[in-house]
Amino acid sequence: MNTELSIAVNGQGLYEITSDVAAVVKSSGLNDGLATVYIRHTSASLVIQENADPAVQRDLEAFLARVVPEGDSADNPVPYTHVEEGADDMPAHIKSALTQTHLSIPVVDGRLALGTWQGVFLWEHRHRANQRRVIVNLLS
Amino acid sequence: MNTELSIAVNGQGLYEITSDVAAVVKSSGLNDGLATVYIRHTSASLVIQENADPAVQRDLEAFLARVVPEGDSADNPVPYTHVEEGADDMPAHIKSALTQTHLSIPVVDGRLALGTWQGVFLWEHRHRANQRRVIVNLLS
Amino acid sequence: MNTELSIAVNGQGLYEITSDVAAVVKSSGLNDGLATVYIRHTSASLVIQENADPAVQRDLEAFLARVVPEGDSADNPVPYTHVEEGADDMPAHIKSALTQTHLSIPVVDGRLALGTWQGVFLWEHRHRANQRRVIVNLLS
């Protein structure tokens, strides 16, 4: 019912994990039910977005960077007090709060019922490379 | 377990679908469980909000329009690179990312356990009329 | 399957409810499944966030207050039309729309599968003290 995946990321950006999640659904044999994807972190998140044009992903990334600035110099301080873990850590928490820690997607006829243009993405908000742990829960 | 609804929309705004979702719950005979509403699009989203005063919905719409501007003239360009599908398309993707693609609501005694003032809304982020596909998944 | 909790809040801020949710899971005897937390309000919300450093919670609060201002004087009006229920009400609705009304968390080996730094928080967006109703739904 619960399968943990480890997703390698290499800095900020959207990483499509649709095929990873679909593989868990397929191997389970689940025909009709609900798949829930859960990320066990607070500086990376999940989102369902268009997976056709990579420019969409870049524009999403740029938007969040404007709304939740990191600050990059003494002339450009940021209004965060939680700074011990790096300039990208508190912005990463805020970006995670504004997006999703979990996603639930119906499973119909053995497949994720994603719309034509939908993909499941892990949204990494920190600069460093990392392994992110994601759980796929299946219910019927 | 999964029922697909087609919701007609006529441009940007919040469209209440509480009664559509409640009808699926009622016809299922489900007494205690979980209802999950899922939208199969990336330029429209879902949200639970106050359904008493229509001004709340207008203020929500106005807020998102300020935070995620569309740009409406050469003097007011917007910082998006994904522009091929119209000036309202990339903002619609961002607005969807900031709100919800799915909502799960407990079912208690045969009814959605919404709070007194809560309604389920489809939030359309594009200007044109459309039919939006929403799946209601029920689990017990 | 559905358990309602009443959470006391005393003004704006993040209130950790991880132990309340964990207690429901423990008393249920559920070993593997999915726990869904649902808040029956539109001016308070839910979020999973870092629970180690309280500064994270203060920074999250300060961020939302900047992005969704309440206005505090005639010199600082806010662009909302829904104002009858107080200057903090419409901002509370917007803050709720930008965060979560529900969270689903896998249950593995009888425990919430939270990451090391994750906690479940009720995010109160109004100034007054209140009792907030939260439902914990368990599925297996």
Side-chain angles (χ1 to χ4, degrees):
Chain A
M1 163 175 291
N2 290 301
T3 303
E4 186 163 309
L5 306 174
S6 182
I7 308 293
V9 296
N10 188 18
Q12 294 182 333
L14 289 111
Y15 296 80
E16 185 161 11
I17 60 171
T18 310
S19 63
D20 303 273
V21 179
V24 173
V25 173
K26 186 173 182 183
S27 72
S28 76
L30 177 64
N31 196 54
D32 282 278
L34 189 71
T36 297
V37 188
Y38 182 86
I39 187 163
R40 303 182 74 187
H41 302 279
T42 58
S43 52
S45 58
L46 300 171
V47 71
I48 289 178
Q49 265 298 323
E50 190 196 288
N51 65 354
D53 180 0
V56 170
Q57 299 157 40
R58 290 193 298 269
D59 285 350
L60 284 165
E61 183 72 28
F63 172 82
L64 264 198
R66 284 193 300 275
V67 172
V68 193
E70 292 185 358
D72 51 15
S73 70
D75 293 339
N76 184 24
V78 287
Y80 312 121
T81 62
H82 174 78
V83 296
E84 297 80 1
E85 297 172 46
D88 60 343
D89 188 59
M90 190 61 224
H93 292 317
I94 296 172
K95 291 169 179 177
S96 295
L98 294 176
T99 52
Q100 316 298 324
T101 298
H102 89 281
L103 301 167
S104 292
I105 307 161
V107 174
V108 177
D109 294 339
R111 299 167 64 100
L112 295 168
L114 296 165
T116 307
W117 308 106
Q118 289 185 316
V120 182
F121 291 88
L122 187 159
W123 200 339
E124 175 60 44
H125 303 301
R126 301 212 62 180
H127 290 287
R128 67 182 181 214
N130 216 331
Q131 289 285 330
R132 295 302 199 174
R133 292 179 299 155
V134 169
I135 295 177
V136 180
N137 173 281
L138 300 179
L139 288 169
S140 64
Chain B
M1 163 175 291
N2 290 301
T3 303
E4 186 162 310
L5 305 174
S6 183
I7 309 293
V9 296
N10 189 16
Q12 294 182 331
L14 289 111
Y15 296 82
E16 185 161 11
I17 60 171
T18 310
S19 63
D20 304 274
V21 179
V24 173
V25 173
K26 186 173 183 182
S27 71
S28 76
L30 177 64
N31 196 53
D32 283 277
L34 189 71
T36 297
V37 189
Y38 181 86
I39 188 163
R40 303 181 75 188
H41 302 278
T42 58
S43 53
S45 58
L46 300 170
V47 73
I48 288 179
Q49 265 298 323
E50 192 198 284
N51 65 354
D53 180 1
V56 171
Q57 298 157 40
R58 291 193 297 269
D59 285 351
L60 283 165
E61 184 72 27
F63 173 83
L64 264 198
R66 284 193 300 275
V67 171
V68 193
E70 291 185 357
D72 50 15
S73 71
D75 293 338
N76 183 23
V78 287
Y80 312 122
T81 62
H82 174 79
V83 295
E84 297 80 359
E85 297 172 46
D88 61 343
D89 188 58
M90 191 60 225
H93 292 317
I94 295 172
K95 292 169 178 177
S96 296
L98 294 176
T99 52
Q100 315 299 324
T101 297
H102 90 283
L103 300 167
S104 292
I105 306 162
V107 174
V108 177
D109 294 338
R111 298 166 65 100
L112 294 168
L114 295 165
T116 307
W117 308 107
Q118 287 185 318
V120 182
F121 291 88
L122 187 160
W123 200 339
E124 175 60 44
H125 303 300
R126 301 213 62 180
H127 289 288
R128 66 181 182 213
N130 215 330
Q131 289 285 329
R132 295 303 198 172
R133 294 178 299 155
V134 169
I135 296 177
V136 181
N137 173 281
L138 300 179
L139 288 170
S140 64
Chain C
M1 163 177 291
N2 290 301
T3 303
E4 186 163 310
L5 306 174
S6 183
I7 309 292
V9 297
N10 188 18
Q12 294 182 332
L14 289 113
Y15 296 81
E16 186 163 9
I17 61 171
T18 311
S19 63
D20 304 273
V21 179
V24 173
V25 173
K26 186 173 183 182
S27 71
S28 75
L30 177 64
N31 196 54
D32 283 277
L34 188 72
T36 297
V37 189
Y38 181 86
I39 188 163
R40 302 181 73 188
H41 303 278
T42 58
S43 54
S45 58
L46 299 171
V47 73
I48 288 179
Q49 265 298 322
E50 193 198 284
N51 66 353
D53 180 1
V56 170
Q57 299 157 41
R58 290 193 298 269
D59 286 350
L60 283 165
E61 184 72 28
F63 172 82
L64 264 198
R66 285 193 299 275
V67 171
V68 193
E70 291 184 359
D72 50 15
S73 72
D75 293 340
N76 185 23
V78 287
Y80 312 122
T81 62
H82 174 78
V83 296
E84 297 80 1
E85 297 172 46
D88 60 343
D89 189 59
M90 191 60 224
H93 292 317
I94 295 172
K95 291 169 178 177
S96 295
L98 293 176
T99 51
Q100 315 298 324
T101 297
H102 90 282
L103 300 167
S104 292
I105 307 162
V107 174
V108 177
D109 294 339
R111 300 165 64 99
L112 294 167
L114 296 165
T116 307
W117 309 106
Q118 287 185 318
V120 182
F121 292 88
L122 187 160
W123 200 338
E124 175 61 45
H125 303 302
R126 302 213 62 180
H127 290 287
R128 68 181 180 212
N130 216 330
Q131 289 285 331
R132 295 303 198 173
R133 293 179 299 154
V134 169
I135 296 177
V136 181
N137 172 282
L138 300 179
L139 288 169
S140 63

